[in-house]
Amino acid sequence: MSSQSAAAEAQAADNGKQSKQGRARNLAEWSQRPNLPGTHYLDTRVYTDPAIYDEEIDKIWNKVWLPICHESELSAPLDFRTSGVAGTKPIVVVRGADNKIRSFLNVCPHRGNIVMRAPAGNLGEGSPSGNPRNMTCMFHGWQFDATGRCVEIPREKAGYQDRLCKAQMGLRELRTEVAHGGFVWVNLDDNCGPLADFTGNAFDFMATELDTVPLEVFHYQKAVVRTNFKLWHETSREFYHDYLHYHNRATGMLQKGYFDRKYTAFPNGHAATGLTSITYDAYEGAKDRGLTFPGMPLNGWKQLNIFPGCTYSLRASCLRVSVMTPISTDKVLIEIRGFGLKEDTPEERRERILDHDTIWGPFGRNLHEDLLVVQNQSIAMREGSGSKYLVMAREENNTIHDEIGLRSYYEEWSRLMGRLACDPSRRSDE
Amino acid sequence: MGASREMAVQQVHELIYESCLTLNAEKWNDYLDLCDKAVFNYSIVNYSPEIRRDQCWMERDYKGLKSIFDLLPKHNSDRSQLTRHATVYRVGFDPEQNVANALTLVTIYRTQLDGINSHFESGATSLFAVGKYMDVIGLDAGKANLKKRVVALDTRQVDIGSHYPL
Ligand code: FES
Ligand SMILES: [Fe+2]
C-alpha cells in the first residue's frame, strides 16, 4: 500500500469515527434548526426580543388570572396589601368592612400618584393627610373608601364647581376572586371569564390539601432576578434538572419509584407533576417530615404549574407558592411564599418552617441553585450571543423527566401569541 | 468585679471578630470551633412588613450547620465571596452565669466570582445585606464560645440568596 492511500484510509476511518462520535460544530452547523418537530424546540428570541415581550404583556399577562397575594396577609377588615402585575401595573388589595376582598389599580385618578405606598397595613390607622378607614392619596388629599369609591376631594366645589364630582372619580376596580388555598387572584381584563374557567380541573388533585382548612403564610421572599420570566417558570416545569440539585438526586431520583411519577398537562397551559414520595432523610442532616397537609401522605410531594408564571409546590409539611411579575425581557420580580395551616400550634409551625428552609428560602439548598441557573441561562442566550435554539424534546411516556411540561407551556403560549415558539417571526396560523 | 467584666468584654469582642474572619475565609471548621457543640443554635431572621410577620429563613444547630458545610462540595453554589464587616456595639455580661449577650451591627458585601457572567462581573463587589448579630456567648473556663447567634437582617431582598451562612 502506498503511503498516500494509507493516509486516505486513515482519514476515512477518522471521518467515520467523527460521524459516530460527533464533534464540535462550526457556525453554519450551530445555527441549523434541530431535526425535530417544531413543538420540540424553540428559538431563543422568545426570551430576548423586546417586541415579543411587549406582546406577551398585552396578549397574555393583561388577559389571564394572576394570583397576587394570600388572604392571610389581609386577615382583618380594612387590611390592605399593595402589589403589582403584568409589568409595572401597581395594585392595592383591600379587605372591606364587609370582609370582602377587592382590588384596585393603585393609581390616583387625579394626577396619577400612587395611592397606597406601604407594602401592607390597616386603613384604620389613617394617614398624615387623610381620615382613618380611607385610602388617601398624599399628593392633594383625595380619599377613597375600601370599596374604591372616591369619598373626598378637598375643596371640590370651589375648584370643579359642577363640572366634576367625586361620584365620577372612583378607583379602577379589577376582577378579583379568592380561591385555591385562599389566594387572591386578579384579572386586568374586565371581560374575562370566571377564574374557575381558567384553572379548569388543574387544581383537582390538590384541592383537599389546599381547601380543607385555611392556610396561613409564614414566609415571604422576593428578588428582582436578571432573567426572562419564562426561564424561571420553566425550572418549575421540567424535572430533568434533578441533576442540578444534589438534594433531589439523593432524596428523590435515586429512590425507587421516582421515575414512575406522572406528568399531566391541562387546558390553558397548566401542568402538574403527580404525587411521589420523597426520602428526606437520605440527605445528611435532614429528617423525614412529621407533618403534612390534609389528604397528603407524609413525605409526599405534588406540584402544579399555573400558566403563565405561578407554581404551587407542596412538599408534605409546607406549601411553596411562587408568583412573578415580568419587568423586561431580562428582568423579573419573583415573589415566593411559604404556607402552613392556620390551625398550627407554635411547635407545628416551627417544624414546618424548618422543613421549608432546608431547600427553600434564600438560604435553602435548592432555590439558590435554581436562581443561579436561570440568571446564567439568560446571559448565554442574550441577543447576539449566538445561542439560537433550545430543545425540549425528551419523551418518556409523560413521566417525570419527560419535557411535556415545557411543550405544553409553549403550546398555550403559541395559541395566545399567534406565533410559533420555534420560529416566532412566523404566525402560528400560517 | 470591674476587671473581670473588662476581660469578658474583651473576649466577646475577639470571639465575634474571629467568627467574621473565619466565615470570610470560608474556614467553616474554624468557625464551628468557636461554637458550643452542645447548645449552639444559629438562625437568620427578619421582620417582613409585607406579610407583617417575623420570619425565619434558616435555623440550624451545631450538627445541622456542620452537615451544611460538609455537603457544600456536592452542591452547585454561587461561590462569590461574602465579606462580613462587623462592629460590636453593646455587650452585657452576667458574671453569675458567666454568659454575655452582644449586639453587633454587620454589613455583608459580595465579591462576584461565578454567580453570573464571570467575564463581566468577577471581582466586582456590591452590598449583599445589612443587619445585626445577636449573640449569646459562654465564658466558661476562660474561653469564650458562641452558644447562640441570631442574624437579624434588615435587608429582605438578598438577590439569589446563598448556600453560606451569614
Ligand atoms: S394625585 Fe392624587 S390627589 Fe392629586
Ligand atoms: Fe429546581
Side-chain angles (χ1 to χ4, degrees):
Chain A
M1 194 191 288
S2 74
S3 69
Q4 224 173 359
S5 63
E9 215 166 275
Q11 180 69 50
D14 207 28
N15 286 346
K17 221 191 291 168
Q18 274 174 352
S19 63
K20 232 192 222 150
Q21 295 179 348
R23 54 172 168 73
R25 295 175 289 170
N26 63 29
L27 180 61
E29 291 162 337
W30 168 255
S31 310
Q32 257 167 28
R33 277 175 195 283
N35 188 18
L36 290 164
T39 47
H40 284 53
Y41 69 98
L42 55 82
D43 184 318
T44 54
R45 279 178 294 168
V46 303
Y47 303 113
T48 58
D49 185 335
I52 291 179
Y53 172 83
D54 289 345
E55 210 177 295
E56 288 175 322
I57 296 296
D58 195 38
K59 293 184 172 167
I60 298 175
W61 292 86
N62 288 349
K63 293 278 189 316
V64 298
W65 284 96
L66 301 164
I68 54 168
C69 66
H70 190 257
E71 61 180 356
S72 64
E73 294 162 51
L74 317 108
S75 52
L78 300 184
D79 275 352
F80 72 88
R81 177 85 170 89
T82 57
S83 183
V85 286
T88 48
K89 294 173 193 77
I91 285 178
V92 56
V93 185
V94 189
R95 186 186 284 272
D98 58 357
N99 252 319
K100 185 171 174 204
I101 292 178
R102 299 174 179 86
S103 63
F104 310 96
L105 205 61
N106 190 9
V107 172
C108 178
H110 176 227
R111 300 272 298 151
N113 187 32
I114 201 152
V115 181
M116 298 307 293
R117 289 183 299 147
N122 185 281
L123 299 180
E125 288 156 21
S127 68
S129 54
N131 298 322
R133 306 182 70 81
N134 290 340
M135 297 181 268
T136 300
C137 174
M138 67 174 174
F139 204 177
H140 312 92
W142 287 29
Q143 296 183 36
F144 308 88
D145 73 9
T147 69
R149 288 187 313 141
C150 180
V151 291
E152 172 67 23
I153 293 182
R155 303 187 62 249
E156 180 182 3
K157 269 269 184 250
Y160 301 110
Q161 296 83 39
D162 295 319
R163 294 167 300 123
L164 179 152
C165 69
K166 48 181 174 292
Q168 307 161 321
M169 300 310 280
L171 294 178
R172 143 88 154 114
E173 186 167 1
L174 306 175
R175 293 278 302 274
T176 307
E177 291 192 34
V178 179
H180 305 312
F183 256 81
V184 179
W185 298 69
V186 300
N187 195 316
L188 293 167
D189 180 3
D190 286 349
N191 300 316
C192 67
L195 172 64
D197 287 1
F198 174 67
T199 52
N201 55 353
F203 273 100
D204 289 0
F205 84 124
M206 225 191 249
T208 308
E209 290 87 338
L210 295 180
D211 295 318
T212 303
V213 295
L215 312 185
E216 190 169 74
V217 66
F218 61 67
H219 172 98
Y220 176 79
Q221 163 204 357
K222 68 178 166 185
V224 174
V225 175
R226 291 180 281 174
T227 194
N228 183 271
F229 70 87
K230 296 188 291 303
L231 292 170
W232 170 243
H233 191 58
E234 286 165 24
T235 59
S236 300
R237 288 182 84 110
E238 60 91 351
F239 285 74
Y240 184 36
H241 81 272
D242 282 327
Y243 291 96
L244 169 72
H245 301 305
Y246 171 67
H247 182 277
N248 283 17
R249 293 203 305 278
T251 63
M253 207 176 96
L254 297 177
Q255 303 298 328
K256 217 172 133 243
Y258 186 74
F259 285 99
D260 301 336
R261 192 179 182 188
K262 274 284 179 197
Y263 214 118
T264 312
F266 297 99
N268 297 330
H270 316 311
T273 31
L275 179 66
T276 193
S277 185
I278 294 302
T279 312
Y280 286 99
D281 63 358
Y283 184 88
E284 189 193 322
K287 58 177 182 48
D288 274 357
R289 298 199 166 183
L291 292 170
T292 187
F293 272 48
M296 167 65 106
L298 288 173
N299 297 319
W301 180 21
K302 287 179 180 178
Q303 187 160 314
L304 177 63
N305 294 290
I306 294 295
F307 186 89
C310 163
T311 301
Y312 280 63
S313 187
L314 178 58
R315 279 179 174 266
S317 57
C318 45
L319 170 71
R320 182 187 94 145
V321 180
S322 156
V323 301
M324 63 168 102
T325 309
I327 300 170
S328 64
T329 54
D330 57 2
K331 242 188 222 160
V332 57
L333 172 70
I334 297 171
E335 293 173 273
I336 300 174
R337 290 168 168 84
F339 294 91
L341 307 182
K342 193 168 177 214
E343 63 190 26
D344 286 340
T345 64
E347 294 73 33
E348 287 169 337
R349 181 58 59 85
R350 181 162 175 259
E351 193 173 329
R352 292 187 197 275
I353 294 172
L354 284 171
D355 287 347
H356 174 276
D357 291 349
T358 55
I359 49 169
W360 294 332
F363 302 97
R365 300 299 100 177
N366 281 13
L367 184 68
H368 175 64
E369 290 171 335
D370 286 321
L371 290 171
L372 187 58
V373 156
V374 295
Q375 71 175 8
N376 279 292
Q377 257 185 307
S378 142
I379 297 302
M381 60 185 71
R382 240 177 221 170
E383 201 68 86
S385 74
S387 184
K388 187 83 181 109
Y389 298 110
L390 307 187
V391 292
M392 41 186 188
R394 295 186 66 82
E395 289 186 11
E396 293 186 62
N397 212 10
N398 294 356
T399 54
I400 192 69
H401 282 191
D402 194 312
E403 283 168 337
I404 180 185
L406 300 178
R407 292 192 293 275
S408 66
Y409 186 90
Y410 282 98
E411 194 183 324
E412 179 65 2
W413 185 92
S414 294
R415 190 176 75 82
L416 297 179
M417 293 285 285
R419 293 173 183 267
L420 293 171
C422 65
D423 186 357
S425 54
R426 269 175 56 205
R427 313 279 321 160
S428 49
D429 51 13
E430 267 171 32
Chain B
M1 270 179 288
S4 78
R5 198 198 120 76
E6 235 168 65
M7 216 158 84
V9 170
Q10 179 66 24
Q11 283 181 326
V12 165
H13 280 220
E14 281 172 15
L15 178 73
I16 292 171
Y17 292 132
E18 193 58 29
S19 76
C20 293
L21 292 175
T22 53
L23 287 174
N24 290 354
E26 297 173 15
K27 292 185 172 163
W28 314 120
N29 288 329
D30 292 0
Y31 176 75
L32 286 174
D33 285 345
L34 305 174
C35 306
D36 183 332
K37 214 173 183 166
V39 300
F40 184 59
N41 181 277
Y42 175 92
S43 59
I44 301 176
V45 302
N46 62 56
Y47 173 76
S48 162
E50 292 83 13
I51 57 171
R52 290 180 288 166
R53 283 169 201 277
D54 291 313
Q55 53 176 349
C56 176
W57 280 352
M58 184 186 212
E59 187 182 342
R60 294 281 170 147
D61 59 12
Y62 181 96
K63 226 175 117 212
L65 211 51
K66 186 170 180 342
S67 68
I68 277 189
F69 294 141
D70 290 346
L71 289 172
L72 275 176
K74 293 189 187 263
H75 279 279
N76 289 296
S77 307
D78 177 348
R79 284 172 295 185
S80 302
Q81 190 195 345
L82 296 180
T83 307
R84 298 144 193 86
H85 275 251
T87 305
V88 180
Y89 274 76
R90 199 183 282 156
V91 179
F93 175 53
D94 176 350
E96 310 260 287
Q97 306 289 326
N98 252 337
V99 166
N101 288 286
L103 179 73
T104 302
L105 298 196
V106 59
T107 306
I108 303 160
Y109 300 92
R110 182 177 60 185
T111 301
Q112 288 286 356
L113 176 65
D114 57 4
I116 181 167
N117 203 355
S118 58
H119 181 220
F120 282 7
E121 301 203 11
S122 66
T125 299
S126 58
L127 187 58
F128 183 70
V130 296
K132 46 186 179 276
Y133 289 153
M134 297 185 301
D135 293 333
V136 178
I137 292 159
L139 293 156
D140 292 324
K143 186 178 179 282
N145 59 21
L146 269 174
K147 289 180 179 300
K148 182 176 178 183
R149 167 161 289 176
V150 177
V151 183
L153 291 179
D154 297 329
T155 305
R156 299 185 311 283
Q157 287 198 39
V158 287
D159 192 43
I160 66 165
S162 176
H163 275 166
Y164 305 151
L166 301 179

